[in-house]
Amino acid sequence: MRLELTGVSVEVAGRRLVHDITLRAGSGRMVGLVGPNGSGKSTLLRCVYRALRPAAGSVRLDGADLHAMDAREGARLLAALPQEAGTEFDFTVAEVVAMGRLPHQRGAGRASAEDTARCARALARVGADHLSGRGFLGLSGGEKQRVLIARALAQDPQVLVLDEPTNHLDIAQQLEVLALVRNGDTSPGGPPGPGPAAGPSPAVAGEESGGRLTVLTALHDLNLAAMHCDELYVLAHGRIVAAGPPYDVLTPELLAEVFGVRAHRVRHPETGALQLLFDRLATPAADS
Ligand SMILES: Nc1ncnc2c1ncn2[C@@H]1O[C@H](COP(=O)(O)OP(=O)(O)OP(=O)(O)O)[C@@H](O)[C@H]1O
């Protein structure tokens, strides 16, 4: 399913934080949103997963206006993992994941055998089935993140919106989670080669459509973003300042200008994927 933002501006408390964003994530593509702290990534994503309405512009799924859909219909198509997501009450992990099935249930909603099976598969998919009976609030940050990803996968969406999904995860889990949301594609963004170890099991989300998920994700780690995303959009001060394939976008000039760092670019010796080596802050004095 295609996700398209056209001329989206977002205002919070009367202040325009995000300006005139046009962005496209083609069906099955993984698109990264990168930018410095406070550049507007979360605000833009909140508008995409409907926590905020756009002040101008539209968010469309295969041409249909997401903000004009009823909540249930939208939730069957698009799932989100917000930053600092969590639950206030101490539900069990199984109960948290089961919430992902609510958009598919009628009325008050009783879990069907299929709902239960999908939740179990989603938990297994993120390697968290052993946590099923535990209380959510007692989990570590990384465990919570995996459970919330399982909830999003159990929702069986066609589009996944993630705000810093690798927060709290160790390096192996960061690689695994990003490979996972790509529906089993473990190949990095560069030329074909061996990807991260531990290829995931067959897809949970997207299994009805038979297709890969369309993913829009904010990421702070530029190497992870380059490795996993098909395209990147760079935000600065609420505006897109660059967009395209990672190697084209993450140039030393852009990294100095937008992130204020000096960087060298190398290719991974085995996979060919872009790797950035950061050496110091790019201060005008240092660069002159
Ligand atoms: N509810 C709010 N009220 C006022 N200002 C806000 C609100 N939410 C966000 N902002 C401001 O909007 C700007 C963009 O914030 P946002 O959280 O979208 O950035 P971000 O790129 O996701 O940052 P980070 O990388 O630190 O998570 C910041 O200056 C922030 O202080």
Side-chain angles (χ1 to χ4, degrees), residues 5-176:
L5 279 63
T6 308
V8 169
S9 295
V10 188
E11 289 177 1
V12 177
R15 211 177 122 215
R16 189 159 288 209
L17 301 177
V18 165
H19 307 260
D20 195 23
I21 304 291
T22 293
L23 175 157
R24 185 177 195 279
S27 187
R29 307 287 281 178
M30 178 139 166
V31 171
L33 199 56
V34 298
N37 288 134
S39 55
K41 303 181 296 295
S42 295
T43 304
L44 179 61
L45 293 183
R46 291 180 74 206
C47 178
V48 177
Y49 60 78
R50 306 201 299 182
L52 293 171
R53 289 191 74 83
S58 65
V59 180
R60 293 181 181 274
L61 296 180
D62 276 356
D65 188 341
L66 183 61
H67 289 268
M69 288 180 197
D70 77 55
R72 212 170 257 262
E73 186 187 3
R76 283 196 293 263
L77 299 176
L78 183 145
L81 176 56
Q83 213 175 35
E84 311 301 337
T87 54
E88 225 172 288
F89 304 105
D90 199 9
F91 291 108
T92 66
V93 164
E95 287 167 337
V96 170
V97 177
M99 289 173 198
R101 297 303 301 162
L102 292 177
H104 297 275
Q105 294 162 1
R106 292 216 181 97
R110 263 188 165 271
S112 65
E114 190 200 338
D115 290 329
T116 308
R118 278 179 183 273
C119 291
R121 282 209 298 281
L123 265 178
R125 185 88 198 288
V126 300
D129 34 2
H130 62 292
L131 300 175
S132 183
R134 293 267 307 271
F136 182 80
L137 295 182
L139 302 179
S140 76
E143 289 168 341
K144 279 184 183 159
Q145 200 73 338
R146 291 168 91 78
V147 169
L148 293 170
I149 291 167
R151 181 177 68 176
L153 294 178
Q155 204 170 318
D156 192 32
Q158 307 222 10
V159 179
L160 202 49
V161 178
L162 307 162
D163 197 349
E164 290 294 338
T166 53
N167 266 356
H168 307 297
L169 300 181
D170 64 44
I171 181 64
Q173 294 194 7
Q174 290 179 26
L175 294 172
E176 206 183 316

